[in-house]
Amino acid sequence: MKKTLLATSIMALTAMTSVSAMSEEKTVYLAAYGGSTETLFKEVIIPKWEEKSGAKVVYVSGNSTDTLAKLRAQEAAQEIDIAFIDDGPMTQAIQFGYCDTVKEDTYASLYDSARLKESKAVGIGVIATGLAYNAQMFAKNGWDAPTSWLDLADPKFKGKIAIPPITNGYGLHALIVAAKLNGGGEANIEPGLKFFEEKLDDNVLVYEPSSGKMSELFQNGEIAMSVWGSGRLKSLADTGFPGEFSYPKEGAVNLLIAACPVVNSDVPELAQDFLKFMVSPEMQKYFATEKGWGPVNKNVELSQDQIGALPVGPERVDTLINIDYTLVNPARGEWTKKWTRRIER
């Protein structure tokens, strides 16, 4: 009898050890942004999840366009298990069939806006595209803080503005807003291009795609204002730079950081668990305080100091402009050709 019990105990212990070993051997391939996001993931977030799950994470760095290109290249045999992509390219990833369905319980405590089409992706954080400016330079020149997108066209800012090109999400948002304010929109971008040509171009020092370079332009006093993200401005202001962020009266633009479990993953349960971990209150607070991403989880509590420029609260979130990427994505190539020929010559 004792031998039987001992044998049973040994078998149970062996099975537990085997399961643990199998879990430890499993690897999740995560494709996400580089820079400070990669640092935060590698130093804080991934170690927490690895300890919880027993699995390992391999971080594949790249911007949204890079990650979408990887998914397309690996279409026949996906190597990526989880993809972090901005909402515009994510719409394409879903359309191309690269994203699996997110488990329903992941959305339990989230705002409705965190659910992407057909529940194929989940929002991880909200960024507002608006007006970033050097408050010290504004005060020195006696300028009022910007309150409207149209302030970008004020002649006093000649050569003192930087806007990303439309190959960058912030620049794309600026063009669409310019079109909307002049009788157009996603279905008619011409008024936006014309506004840039006739009203904005003289004020733009450079169409700068790099966030690092944009920070340098601010710090060197070369620009007074830019079209930028609330999270980017927070990162710059955290260094001590006197930067402020304005939500234009017409509305800032909603940029949703999204993630999806990739189809045909060999670790689908781990991919789903990772996403659920990303939208937990603990991780959402990390993203808010360290990255400047507005929380998508309703249960996250932030102090007024922590909120700062983040898109938090109905007075900001409910006024965000949402872009119709079903119209934008098919037209974006043609827009880029026109932009290159007429604006960024």
Side-chain angles (χ1 to χ4, degrees):
M1 183 68 173
K2 287 182 178 179
K3 288 184 177 180
T4 302
L5 288 173
L6 179 61
T8 301
S9 298
I10 292 172
M11 290 175 62
L13 181 60
T14 301
M16 290 174 63
T17 304
S18 176
V19 170
S20 177
M22 286 177 63
S23 178
E24 288 176 1
E25 291 171 1
K26 288 185 177 179
T27 300
V28 176
Y29 286 82
L30 168 66
Y33 315 106
S36 59
T37 302
E38 181 175 1
T39 301
L40 179 64
F41 267 82
K42 287 184 174 180
E43 293 182 357
V44 178
I45 294 173
I46 288 174
K48 283 180 176 290
W49 184 77
E50 287 180 333
E51 182 179 2
K52 169 183 174 292
S53 66
K56 297 297 180 185
V57 175
V58 172
Y59 198 98
V60 183
S61 177
N63 61 32
S64 295
T65 305
D66 295 333
T67 298
L68 182 60
K70 290 185 180 81
L71 291 173
R72 299 194 74 166
Q74 300 168 7
E75 196 168 78
Q78 294 289 355
E79 296 176 9
I80 295 169
D81 300 301
I82 305 163
F84 272 64
I85 308 177
D86 292 350
D87 48 8
M90 181 62 83
T91 302
Q92 291 181 295
I94 293 172
Q95 178 186 348
F96 296 153
Y98 301 148
C99 295
D100 207 347
T101 304
V102 177
K103 284 190 173 181
E104 187 60 30
D105 60 353
T106 300
Y107 297 107
S109 300
L110 309 188
Y111 294 108
D112 292 342
S113 58
R115 186 190 297 268
L116 275 77
K117 188 177 181 182
E118 299 175 351
S119 302
K120 294 292 185 181
V122 60
I124 304 298
V126 182
I127 293 173
T129 299
L131 304 176
Y133 65 101
N134 183 333
Q136 190 175 70
M137 184 182 292
F138 268 65
K140 182 179 179 180
N141 287 281
W143 298 334
D144 292 331
T147 59
S148 168
W149 288 101
L150 298 178
D151 288 337
L152 291 167
D154 191 318
K156 69 173 175 274
F157 296 124
K158 184 174 182 179
K160 284 293 183 181
I161 288 174
I163 300 177
I166 67 167
T167 51
N168 175 289
Y170 302 130
L172 179 67
H173 290 171
L175 176 62
I176 294 171
V177 169
K180 287 178 178 289
L181 295 180
N182 290 278
E186 294 94 329
N188 177 18
I189 207 65
E190 179 58 31
L193 290 166
K194 190 173 181 181
F195 185 75
F196 264 83
E197 280 182 310
E198 298 178 357
K199 303 291 185 180
L200 293 188
D201 196 49
D202 284 347
N203 284 2
V204 177
L205 174 68
V206 62
Y207 293 100
E208 180 52 58
S210 166
S211 292
K213 181 61 177 176
M214 188 76 81
S215 295
E216 289 180 19
L217 292 170
F218 269 122
Q219 291 167 325
N220 294 338
E222 295 179 70
I223 59 172
M225 181 163 54
S226 75
V227 174
W228 221 18
S230 53
R232 294 292 186 185
L233 187 278
K234 180 187 184 303
S235 295
L236 179 58
D238 284 347
T239 68
F241 179 79
E244 298 286 348
F245 187 83
S246 172
Y247 283 76
K249 63 184 180 182
E250 302 90 354
V253 181
N254 184 16
L255 194 165
L256 191 66
I257 304 297
C260 80
V262 178
V263 294
N264 300 323
S265 166
D266 59 354
V267 287
E269 292 301 319
L270 287 173
Q272 294 281 355
D273 186 74
F274 188 88
L275 291 180
K276 191 171 183 179
F277 186 65
M278 292 297 95
V279 296
S280 67
E282 180 188 9
M283 291 300 103
Q284 287 285 291
K285 190 163 187 174
Y286 265 114
F287 289 136
T289 57
E290 301 299 323
K291 286 296 300 171
W293 297 353
V296 298
N297 190 310
K298 301 173 185 177
N299 298 325
V300 176
E301 295 183 3
L302 299 171
S303 68
Q304 283 303 121
D305 286 343
Q306 289 173 328
I307 291 173
L310 272 61
V312 175
E315 69 282 357
R316 290 179 178 176
V317 176
D318 292 350
T319 60
L320 292 176
I321 298 170
N322 293 304
I323 302 298
D324 186 350
Y325 287 104
T326 62
L327 296 177
V328 172
N329 288 332
R332 195 166 176 178
E334 185 60 32
W335 291 0
T336 301
K337 290 178 184 177
K338 291 180 179 180
W339 173 272
T340 303
R341 184 172 69 249
R342 296 166 55 180
I343 313 298
E344 201 178 354
R345 298 178 293 277

